[in-house]
Amino acid sequence: MLRSFTVKNFRCFKDLTLAPLERVNVIAGKNNVGKTALLEGLYLHSGPGLPRSPQAFEFLRCLERFSQAEEESWEWLFAGKEVEDVIEFQGATAGSARTLRIRLEDTAATDFPPRGNGPAAPGGAEARPTAGARQLVLSYEDRDGPGYQEVEVAVSGTGTVAVRRTPHARFPGSVLLGACAGSSSHDEERYSSLVEVGREAAVLPALQLLDPRLRRFAVLVAGGTPSLHADLGTGRLIPVRYLGEGLRRLLSVVLAIASTPGGLVLIDEVENGLHHAVLTKVWQALARAAREADVQVVATTQSYECIQAAHQASLESGCYDLRLFRLDRVDAEIRVAVYNQTTLETSVEMNLEVR
């Protein structure tokens, strides 16, 4: 579990540190201060062995896919589009320090072999750099005593070019849920993985907070496509995609937590689709699921009611493992204010602005 996280030269951040991180972390702040970008940075840092194209973040930001060169979107990863700088993420756990550095280089400047041992390009063909093209190079280090690991990945516009790693490199799992995703396309797969080990009932208690009629979920095949269905006691299972946004949203979150033991779950605008009256119970359910699966949660919100509910849920749990971070733009920099149990309780009692 991360105890601190530092981001440098990424998106709108020149140098920002979140510390100390807890089991459940809430990121607040006004529009356009980098809440979603911070989740993107955490996501990249947690999965360097499986680099995602920056354009994969578009749907998480509720954007239609646009016609733009891959290299152009890479450039906007760098703060101020200063591609000569190096992006750096540093995450510290109780016993290790993990660092991911990202740089943009000409293919001629890298010494990767022409054929790598990493994932193949789309369609099964292994990607190769083209003359005059640039590569995004991701270098990862995990300084964990004898478990020291290194991974370096070069990504071209057509896919992964090469991967170099120390033996037995391992990475914590991570899931990033976007603000617009009422139900993740991976929900069926995650639910099936829980069924395989007999843990599918773990998702019901949280969902029954929103609809007590829920009896079970099942993956059914219609038209050759698997689809998650819900039993509401009506005599016929209903496709989850036809249920309310709040229930679909909560289902995606609970499935992500339950299927990522020991990992990191990142949620953009966690309150989307949820009525304020159930937020405290929802936070209780999410925190309980996170503890049971040993998962760390980082969620963004713009809702004061959501922050109050998270605080109240943590108080009532008897195990206060919540931290609030508020991002503020001061001149040209993003700064962070940290709220622990005492300062957040005072702020809530005095109705002070913490969003």
Side-chain angles (χ1 to χ4, degrees), residues 336-349:
V336 60
V338 185
Y339 294 81
N340 58 20
Q341 178 179 352
T342 301
T343 54
L344 184 53
E345 188 164 6
T346 300
S347 299
V348 170
E349 289 176 353

Side-chain angles (χ1 to χ4, degrees), residues 212-223:
R213 299 176 298 164
L214 269 174
R215 299 179 179 180
R216 65 188 176 99
F217 291 98
V219 177
L220 304 181
V221 178

